[in-house]
Amino acid sequence: MKAYELLRSVKGYLSKMFKKKGLLLQLLQSSSLLQRLELMLKQRSNVLLLYVDVVDFHQVLQVHGEALARRILNVLRTALHRKAGDFLNCSGEISVENLWGDDFLVLCRLDPVSTPEQLNKMSTAMRLALEETLKQELAKITTMSVKLHVGYSIIKGKLGSKPDQALYTALKEAQKIAKGAWNQQTTHLLGEFNHILAQKNLLMVYQPIVSLQNGEILGWEALTRGPKDSYFLSPLVIFGFAEEVGLLFPVEKLCRELAINNVGYMESHQKLFLNIHPLTINDPQFVRGETSKLLAESHLHSANLVFEITERQSIHDFARFNKTLAHYRNQGYRVAVDDAGAGFSSLQAIAEVRPDFIKIDCSLVRDINTNRVKKALLETLVTFTQKIGCSIIAEGIETEAELATLHSIGVQYGQGYFLAHPGYPKPPVNVEALNKIHSLSSRNPTGVWQKAFPIGDITEPAIMVSVETPVRHLKELLDSNELINGVVITNNNRPVGLVMRHHLDRYLGTQYGVALYFERPVSCIMDIDPLMVDISLPIEQVSQLSMNRDKLKLYDYIVVTREGQLYGVVSVQILLDTMTKIRMEVAKGANPLTGLPGNLTIEGEINNRLSEISPSACIYIDLDNFKSYNDRYGFENGDRLILLAARLLSSVVKKYGDPQAFAGHIGGDDFIVLCHRDLAEEICRRYIRYFDRLVKGLYSSEDQVRGGFFGLNRQGQENWFPLVSVSMAIVDCAGHCSPEGLAEKTAQLKHYAKTKLGSIYVWDRRKNEFSS
């Protein structure tokens, strides 16, 4: 007999047993609940009995099999243990027992006494939370959803009560409520829910999403919380109930409104992540542009908003969904796929939606530092995202070890309790996490700077033919010139494919290859998906893309385009030779501690800037009180401070400078930046803001509180030394001064800046007047 048939027959038998008082009492007497009930009744306590079972469980078993059915029961048992304390007004120990099959009983002392209406609300909230938990767990393996029956009964504590009789009566009453009062329970909560919506009585909390490379905040995810004194405190209950009663659209609309209105100040590049159910995208209220109005009222714009797609299994028509989504993308909104790795639909959603961000589910992040399989999987995802041009956000980071592993893998962003708990107003990143990120970044300084040579600089002319060209002509072309290893296939000068010599030989070298392909157009054998890059893409990035190709394509040409038109090709040999030369040149002039370009490279860059007509500026950076810090904390910590300064400088210049901006390390605690004149002040402002915040993490807690320490100066006298600060001097350096004149102006300005307290930048305004 099949498992589902066996269960069905047993359930039928058990149903008859429930009608026979004696048999049911025997079943209850064999459970551990009876003994616990007896103790509660002796204390004259009122006892709450909660009955839970799965709706049509025999059908679940029949359709989905015994393994999934067992998984449902295990998840339900665990969820009952975890959720009972959150939703039941109980005191003391809560007992949970799987009575038989999918029937569960929960027993606890009720304190204080609750009204029938309160009990209805309590059991409904419990049901919604359990169903949502089951939904999240089952989403990892199937699209099915599970509904529950939940009923309750009160066993009053009084002298002379017989525990077995009381338990039997209570169970029968709870079953009646569970099977017949679903609509009644929902009705009891609907009024309260509508009141919450009308009063906009939801709280938005925000959790930072942080760069794991430099500690900067990319943005915040807006999370919903209900009123503290309500059964709707949990977001599981809020959204589960909203979907059940058909109020999902107005709930999400209210959440969007509150999230945008309450987010507060955000910098222009930062993002607000909003959870959006796929069905909401097609909501008429959503389509009409109300989100744009909210953004405008909060002085934000579409580029600040990321739609975080949840409930991927609810997307049944990806073509229609993507068509709607394209409308918002064209307006500048970004898209994230949530909980990647949590379910089978993740990869399909990524392939179809092509998100800007992929959020990795916390189940993959948990204990990744000790799980080789998870680490290998995430390493693969990092490589994958580099190919498709999106970023990874790891959710649920709770330990320093998890953070360190994610950083080493190359994950760009993170979110979790170790970085910051959700809060309102927007919480900052924990100092401990920031220090850890800085420490990890400082250990790998070799990637701090590398000049971005565009791939167009090493591109060679391409041999091309049209898509209609017969394979025979292509063969003749390659045979007539042994130096040609590949041909680009074009359509109106736009590259549409590639044929390499070794691939052509593979097609024609088969027994019937010549007969099959010789007179056919070259389009039938071309690679329709070669590696194509724009002429402006940095050589380093092209090298990574090239090495990540399929092994059969590893030595194929790289097709280079300009505005979509064919520009030329690059062979792998030329690319590797150029990369080797670049790294050798960088290594020659790099500072051994920070990896930033040293004096030889700096001198060449300055001479180039002085010969240019474009308005450039030179920023000289010097750390104040560095020697005193070095004396107090030692050379190792002194090196850490220098690495912090270098890493932060590189990050700020990359983010706020122009594409040609340059950062170098003169030596010791002296640095230099060359950039476009109009961007110099912004670079200085950002650098000072971040440096003053981060440098505190390199001091003891006592020195942080005091803002410095007492130590010996160069004359051996005790003196007060404030925290290390930074002096920055800006001098124009384009076409109207010599290297000597630039050095003299910079020295004067630097001396002036160091007379001021704290971090400061000053600028020579061309009239020999210093101003900050």
Side-chain angles (χ1 to χ4, degrees):
M1 185 180 291
K2 294 182 179 178
Y4 70 85
E5 292 173 343
L6 176 63
L7 178 69
R8 196 169 187 178
S9 63
V10 172
K11 287 283 284 187
Y13 170 69
L14 198 60
S15 178
K16 294 178 181 177
M17 282 180 60
F18 285 172
K19 294 176 182 178
K20 297 180 180 180
K21 182 175 178 181
L23 293 175
L24 179 56
L25 280 174
Q26 289 179 22
L27 182 63
L28 292 173
Q29 286 168 353
S30 64
S31 75
S32 61
L33 293 178
L34 192 60
Q35 186 177 4
R36 293 170 189 169
L37 175 62
E38 206 168 348
L39 291 174
M40 294 178 189
L41 292 177
K42 285 181 179 178
Q43 299 170 356
R44 298 188 183 182
S45 300
N46 287 333
V47 179
L48 171 67
L49 180 140
L50 201 71
Y51 169 79
V52 180
D53 84 334
V54 180
V55 177
D56 296 328
F57 185 68
H58 65 280
Q59 292 183 10
V60 174
L61 185 61
Q62 179 178 354
V63 174
H64 297 280
E66 186 178 352
L68 182 60
R70 191 181 301 112
R71 175 74 179 271
I72 291 172
L73 296 182
N74 289 336
V75 172
L76 181 55
R77 182 186 296 106
T78 302
L80 277 168
H81 280 284
R82 290 179 178 175
K83 300 292 182 185
D86 296 336
F87 292 93
L88 304 181
N89 295 332
C90 291
S91 60
E93 182 184 358
I94 298 176
S95 301
V96 178
E97 182 158 324
N98 187 188
L99 186 63
W100 172 261
D102 62 315
D103 295 285
F104 289 84
L105 295 183
V106 179
L107 212 63
C108 68
R109 192 166 62 237
L110 190 62
D111 189 23
V113 177
S114 301
T115 65
E117 184 179 352
Q118 289 173 328
L119 291 169
N120 262 320
K121 291 180 178 180
M122 182 170 61
S123 59
T124 305
M126 180 79 171
R127 174 177 61 80
L128 292 168
L130 292 172
E131 288 177 349
E132 189 64 27
T133 300
L134 282 165
K135 184 179 182 181
Q136 291 177 359
E137 288 296 319
L138 292 177
K140 300 175 182 178
I141 50 177
T142 179
T143 57
M144 73 168 293
S145 59
V146 172
K147 293 297 182 182
L148 301 175
H149 289 134
V150 176
Y152 65 87
S153 181
I154 304 298
I155 304 172
K156 294 186 177 180
K158 53 186 178 181
L159 292 174
S161 296
K162 295 182 179 180
D164 53 353
Q165 180 66 47
L167 187 58
Y168 169 82
T169 304
L171 173 58
K172 297 298 290 181
E173 183 180 341
Q175 284 179 320
K176 289 179 181 178
I177 293 176
K179 302 294 172 67
W182 197 343
N183 292 335
Q184 181 185 355
Q185 292 171 355
T186 302
T187 303
H188 275 291
L189 276 177
L190 187 58
E192 181 180 343
F193 194 70
N194 283 325
H195 181 73
I196 289 173
L197 297 185
Q199 299 297 315
K200 299 184 178 181
N201 195 16
L202 294 176
L203 172 67
M204 304 307 300
V205 293
Y206 302 87
Q207 188 171 36
I209 297 170
V210 183
S211 167
L212 301 187
Q213 309 307 314
N214 57 26
E216 293 184 13
I217 295 179
L218 167 71
W220 290 266
E221 180 181 358
L223 302 167
T224 306
R225 301 290 184 267
K228 289 186 178 180
D229 56 348
S230 167
Y231 292 111
F232 292 104
L233 173 63
S234 167
L236 296 179
V237 179
I238 294 172
F239 291 102
F241 186 79
E243 192 168 359
E244 186 171 289
V245 298
L247 292 176
L248 184 63
F249 289 170
V251 169
E252 286 208 349
K253 178 184 176 184
L254 175 59
C255 290
R256 285 196 303 276
E257 177 186 338
L258 295 176
I260 294 171
N261 289 344
N262 296 329
V263 70
Y265 174 76
M266 287 173 54
E267 296 187 15
S268 59
H269 65 278
Q270 291 178 322
K271 314 292 181 188
L272 175 63
F273 286 70
L274 293 181
N275 290 291
I276 301 291
H277 194 288
L279 297 176
T280 303
I281 294 289
N282 295 313
D283 175 22
Q285 296 293 326
F286 190 68
V287 174
R288 275 207 293 261
E290 292 196 0
T291 303
S292 300
K293 295 177 185 177
L294 291 171
L295 289 171
E297 292 169 359
S298 298
H299 306 290
L300 299 173
H301 47 85
S302 56
N304 292 121
L305 209 60
V306 179
F307 294 141
E308 192 169 316
I309 306 299
T310 60
E311 305 291 347
R312 296 177 304 276
Q313 61 269 30
S314 297
I315 307 176
H316 301 296
D317 186 350
F318 272 107
R320 180 186 176 195
F321 179 75
N322 279 330
K323 185 177 179 180
T324 308
L325 205 59
H327 167 72
Y328 299 106
R329 277 185 156 141
N330 291 336
Q331 297 179 48
Y333 296 102
R334 310 285 288 279
V335 177
V337 167
D338 193 20
D339 298 335
F344 77 98
S345 59
S346 298
L347 291 179
Q348 184 190 8
I350 291 168
E352 297 282 356
V353 176
R354 298 184 181 182
D356 302 287
F357 300 94
I358 297 175
K359 300 195 76 175
I360 302 299
D361 184 66
C362 57
S363 61
L364 272 183
V365 174
R366 186 72 59 249
D367 300 322
I368 192 171
N369 52 298
T370 59
N371 190 313
R372 289 186 298 172
V373 175
K374 289 182 179 181
K375 185 177 179 182
L377 179 57
L378 205 49
E379 285 173 344
T380 304
L381 286 173
V382 168
T383 302
F384 167 72
T385 55
Q386 289 172 349
K387 290 184 177 182
I388 67 173
C390 71
S391 299
I392 282 183
I393 301 171
E395 296 184 295
I397 303 175
E398 295 190 354
T399 67
E400 182 177 309
E402 290 171 354
L403 173 63
T405 301
L406 293 167
H407 180 277
S408 69
I409 292 172
V411 173
Q412 296 98 328
Y413 301 102
Q415 180 180 355
Y417 288 167
F418 182 70
L419 296 164
H421 284 257
Y424 180 81
K426 302 190 302 294
V429 184
N430 294 334
V431 174
E432 181 186 0
L434 274 178
N435 291 342
K436 183 62 179 178
I437 292 172
H438 158 251
S439 174
L440 292 168
S441 300
S442 299
R443 294 174 190 171
N444 184 25
T446 56
V448 170
W449 179 89
Q450 188 169 64
K451 189 168 182 179
F453 293 101
I455 192 66
D457 287 359
I458 61 171
T459 301
E460 299 175 324
I463 304 299
M464 60 181 180
V465 299
S466 68
V467 290
E468 297 87 6
T469 303
V471 172
R472 173 171 49 83
H473 288 172
L474 180 62
K475 173 67 173 171
E476 292 171 356
L477 176 64
L478 292 174
D479 286 346
S480 65
N481 191 335
E482 294 182 357
L483 297 179
I484 300 175
N485 288 318
V487 177
V488 180
I489 316 304
T490 60
N491 186 7
N492 295 325
N493 202 40
R494 289 186 175 274
V496 294
L498 176 70
V499 176
M500 297 298 295
R501 182 187 294 273
H502 55 275
H503 291 319
L504 178 62
D505 291 342
R506 182 162 51 86
Y507 274 106
L508 300 181
T510 60
Q511 183 176 1
Y512 303 106
V514 173
L516 284 172
Y517 299 110
F518 222 53
E519 297 302 327
R520 299 182 68 184
V522 71
S523 57
C524 71
I525 65 167
M526 70 182 184
D527 174 11
I528 62 173
D529 188 28
L531 176 57
M532 294 189 193
V533 298
D534 187 79
I535 61 170
S536 61
L537 202 65
I539 289 175
E540 175 75 23
Q541 191 170 344
V542 175
S543 176
Q544 292 176 355
L545 293 171
S546 176
M547 292 303 103
N548 286 330
R549 289 185 291 181
D550 185 274
K551 289 182 179 180
L552 293 176
K553 296 184 179 183
L554 204 55
Y555 297 100
D556 289 5
Y557 280 160
I558 298 158
V559 181
V560 182
T561 62
R562 180 169 62 185
E563 297 180 354
Q565 301 288 314
L566 178 63
Y567 183 77
V569 294
V570 174
S571 69
V572 173
Q573 184 64 50
I574 294 294
L575 179 65
L576 294 178
D577 288 347
T578 306
M579 285 297 304
T580 302
K581 291 176 183 177
I582 291 174
R583 285 169 178 161
M584 288 176 64
E585 290 300 317
V586 170
K588 284 181 184 177
N591 182 282
L593 174 62
T594 62
L596 284 171
N599 289 323
L600 286 175
T601 311
I602 292 171
E603 184 179 348
E605 284 290 330
I606 290 176
N607 288 329
N608 289 337
R609 303 285 170 143
L610 292 177
S611 64
E612 292 175 354
I613 300 175
S614 60
S616 295
C618 170
I619 308 173
Y620 192 98
I621 300 105
D622 186 20
L623 303 184
D624 306 320
N625 303 313
F626 174 71
K627 183 182 182 302
S628 61
Y629 176 88
N630 215 29
D631 292 342
R632 179 176 179 86
Y633 285 93
F635 292 111
E636 184 177 348
N637 283 313
D639 286 349
R640 288 183 63 204
L641 202 158
I642 294 295
L643 286 169
L644 165 65
R647 184 72 186 184
L648 179 61
L649 186 64
S650 174
S651 176
V652 170
V653 169
K654 182 179 180 181
K655 191 165 190 176
Y656 300 103
D658 55 291
Q660 287 72 43
F662 169 90
H665 188 176
I666 297 171
D669 59 342
D670 295 333
F671 300 87
I672 192 170
V673 171
L674 301 169
C675 64
H676 193 281
R677 184 181 185 277
D678 294 343
L679 302 174
E681 275 195 288
E682 180 68 6
I683 289 173
C684 291
R685 280 196 294 266
R686 297 285 182 175
Y687 189 76
I688 287 173
R689 179 191 301 180
Y690 299 142
F691 182 87
D692 286 349
R693 186 181 69 190
L694 293 174
V695 76
K696 295 177 182 178
L698 300 181
Y699 284 83
S700 67
S701 57
E702 292 180 357
D703 288 349
Q704 286 185 41
V705 172
R706 293 186 299 185
F709 56 84
F710 285 98
L712 298 180
N713 61 18
R714 296 178 187 270
Q715 291 74 39
Q717 300 170 332
E718 189 175 56
N719 198 10
W720 171 255
F721 294 100
L723 303 183
V724 172
S725 55
V726 58
S727 293
M728 308 180 76
I730 309 174
V731 178
D732 292 330
C733 65
H736 62 270
C737 66
S738 64
E740 294 77 14
L742 178 65
E744 183 179 350
K745 283 185 178 182
T746 303
Q748 293 173 0
L749 211 57
K750 169 192 166 184
H751 178 74
Y752 174 75
K754 291 184 78 68
T755 63
K756 305 292 184 179
L757 295 177
S759 293
I760 190 173
Y761 72 90
V762 294
W763 195 339
D764 179 2
R765 301 288 186 178
R766 298 186 181 183
K767 297 179 181 179
N768 295 323
E769 296 177 358
F770 300 142
S771 60
S772 60

